[in-house]
């Protein structure tokens, strides 16, 4: 059996590992995990001498003791017992002191010691743990809510989960330092696949990958985009995604990554204009800017500032568009500033149309119109109306594409979405507003939430696109059908378990036995 030896450094120690040609990706990761003394849920990153990020896989290139790789543990999971208000810890003070230390180290030495990096990661994760505690604690459950709540009937932008300027600057500084590093061909290829796993990448790395999309699609030269302007635009976009459970910067990245993957999968450059592809990718990046974590139904029912401003018509999507062009109004952030006026007008019209099209209230209308074209006439890529509908369909597919991905990537996203739904429905109950059943933690679980959505929203949309582009069957449609089978089986198992518990309860009543109460089981 052929073997190869890989040399690397971890925590300042020189190590080496021997791999067989039939070792799996998991085998390699476990070996590196053991070398780094990392836990099963810790995230590892491997870099070469140039600082390029390497994919830990059986294709990893054999090296020499003089070209050792660097292995780092970049994220670790905090213990659940660290939940925090009980600890009396002032996280903001720790963050501030750590930020000052980091800034001073950068200025003085230009290199951040590993121990400070590790401390920064742990503080960030601890903060995330605090913020993930049942959100009601942040709404004031410790006070007497019988006399009313401090929640405002209007969405207060200042109260949304906005990133601190300090946090954003730290991310940007890391992004800027990494911008001089070349992305490997292996990562560039992986970036084009629907199986891409976002959970392995941190925010600065995702900013680098967004930049790479613009480079590999030729936008830099075709539209004369200046690299410093692209960097500043990406930074402003990043700042304007809030720390909400689902509609956050990672969601922005994943939607854009799927849009990028579809571009290569269906070969849109051979079918659409360069300007159309620029519209699709840029719209995907901007499509949920400044999302507050509460949907349009809440905006309308609570009579928020956004609902009043936009007359209850797609208030969030209109807001996302508005923020996108507010950013582009800044000269140093305007990636379109070298476009001729007519091209910019087309980009603006296209982006507004695409972003407004992500409102699920318009889902059926857009899908029916697209099907009508496919069923009655041959799709014409030169027809303005046909092409406009296709762009909206493509961004809609990308927006709700999580179930196209491997289950270990998709399922955490579903948990994030349900958390955002539950947060909203809890607030709606406190404010006496209507609550949608699919967002009520007492009425929905993972399986029940997905079965109907996949059957009546995802598959009809994806299959309609598949009629025009059969090439997406294997990578896009088939995984969604697999996901439907998975959640159907999960739901069946839950129903059987529920019937068993009810049967035991009935028998106990008949025999005069009182059973202890059981917690509701949901998956």
């Amino acid at each position: 059996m052929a073997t190869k030896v890989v040399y690397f450094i971890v925590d300042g120690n020189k190590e080496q590992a021997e791999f067989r040609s039939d070792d799996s990706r998991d085998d390699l990761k476990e070996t590196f995990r053991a070398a780094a003394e990392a836990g099963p849920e810790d995230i590892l990153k491997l870099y070469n001498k140039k600082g390029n990020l390497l994919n830990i896989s059986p294709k990893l290139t054999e090296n020499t003791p003089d070209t050792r790789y660097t292995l780092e543990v970049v994220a670790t999971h905090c213990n659940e017992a660290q939940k925090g208000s009980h600890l009396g810890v002032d996280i903001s003070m720790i963050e501030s002191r750590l930020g000052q230390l980091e800034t001073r180290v950068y200025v003085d030495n230009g290199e951040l010691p590993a121990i400070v990096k590790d401390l920064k990661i742990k503080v960030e994760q601890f903060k995330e743990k605090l913020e993930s505690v049942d959100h009601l604690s942040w709404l004031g459950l410790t006070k007497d809510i019988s006399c009313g709540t401090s929640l405002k009937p209007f969405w207060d932008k200042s109260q949304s989960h906005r990133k601190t300027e300090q946090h954003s600057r730290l991310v940007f500084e890391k992004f800027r330092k990494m911008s001089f590093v070349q992305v490997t061909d292996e990562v560039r290829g992986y970036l084009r696949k629907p199986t891409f796993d976002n959970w392995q990448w941190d925010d600065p790395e995702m900013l680098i990958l967004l930049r790479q999309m613009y480079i590999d699609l030729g936008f830099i030269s075709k539209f004369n985009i200046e690299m410093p302007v692209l960097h500043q635009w990406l930074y402003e976009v990043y700042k304007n995604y809030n720390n909400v459970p689902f509609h956050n910067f990672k969601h922005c990245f994943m939607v854009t990554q799927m849009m990028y993957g579809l571009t290569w999968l269906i070969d849109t450059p051979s079918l659409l204009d360069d300007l159309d592809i620029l519209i699709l990718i840029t719209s995907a990046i901007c499509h949920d800017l400044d999302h507050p974590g509460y949907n349009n139904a809440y905006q309308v029912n609570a009579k928020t500032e956004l609902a009043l401003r936009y007359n209850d018509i797609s208030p969030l999507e209109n807001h996302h568009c508005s923020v996108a062009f507010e950013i582009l109004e800044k000269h140093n952030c305007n990636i379109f500033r070298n476009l001729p006026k007519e091209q910019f007008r087309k980009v603006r019209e296209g982006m507004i149309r695409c972003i407004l099209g992500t409102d699920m209230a318009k889902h059926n209308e857009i899908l029916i119109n697209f099907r009508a074209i496919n069923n009655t006439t041959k799709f014409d890529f030169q027809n303005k109306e046909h092409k406009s509908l296709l762009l909206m369909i493509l961004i809609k597919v990308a927006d709700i594409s999580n179930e196209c991905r491997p289950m270990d990537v998709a399922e955490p996203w579903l948990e994030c979405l349900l958390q955002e739904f539950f947060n909203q429905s809890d607030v709606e109950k406190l404010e006496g507003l209507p609550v949608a059943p699919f967002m009520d933690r007492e009425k929905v679980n993972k399986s029940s939430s997905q079965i109907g959505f996949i059957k009546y929203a995802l598959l009809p949309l994806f299959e309609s696109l598949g009629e025009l582009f059969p090439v997406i069957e294997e990578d896009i449609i088939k995984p969604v059908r697999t996901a439907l089978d998975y959640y159907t089986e999960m739901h069946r198992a839950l129903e059987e378990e529920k019937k068993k518990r009810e049967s035991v309860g009935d028998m106990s009543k008949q025999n005069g036995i009182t059973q202890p109460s059981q917690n509701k089981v949901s998956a």
Side-chain angles (χ1 to χ4, degrees), residues 335-385:
I335 57 173
F336 304 137
R337 70 186 190 183
N338 294 322
L339 291 183
K341 287 184 179 180
E342 182 59 22
Q343 279 195 335
F344 177 75
R345 183 185 63 79
K346 289 181 179 179
V347 168
R348 178 171 164 78
E349 288 177 356
M351 284 182 61
I352 291 172
R353 187 164 50 245
C354 283
I355 294 174
L356 292 182
T358 62
D359 184 354
M360 287 302 291
K362 297 180 179 178
H363 179 83
N364 288 335
E365 176 190 346
I366 294 171
L367 184 55
I368 289 170
N369 290 337
F370 183 69
R371 279 175 164 173
I373 292 175
N374 281 345
N375 294 336
T376 59
T377 62
K378 183 178 180 180
F379 194 93
D380 182 1
F381 288 94
Q382 301 306 313
N383 182 294
K384 184 177 179 180
E385 181 185 353

Side-chain angles (χ1 to χ4, degrees), residues 90-119:
D90 186 348
I91 288 294
S92 60
M93 182 183 70
I94 295 176
E95 278 192 309
S96 176
R97 294 180 64 182
L98 183 57
Q100 292 169 10
L101 173 61
E102 186 175 28
T103 301
R104 195 169 68 192
V105 171
Y106 273 140
V107 171
D108 293 346
N109 304 318
E111 185 76 25
L112 193 66
I115 189 170
V116 178
K117 288 183 183 178
D118 185 55
L119 179 59

Side-chain angles (χ1 to χ4, degrees), residues 319-338:
H319 181 59
H320 305 324
C321 285
S322 176
V323 175
F325 286 99
E326 282 177 13
I327 293 172
L328 289 165
E329 277 293 304
K330 302 175 182 178
H331 187 68
N332 65 336
C333 300
N334 186 2
I335 57 173
F336 304 137
R337 70 186 190 183
N338 294 322

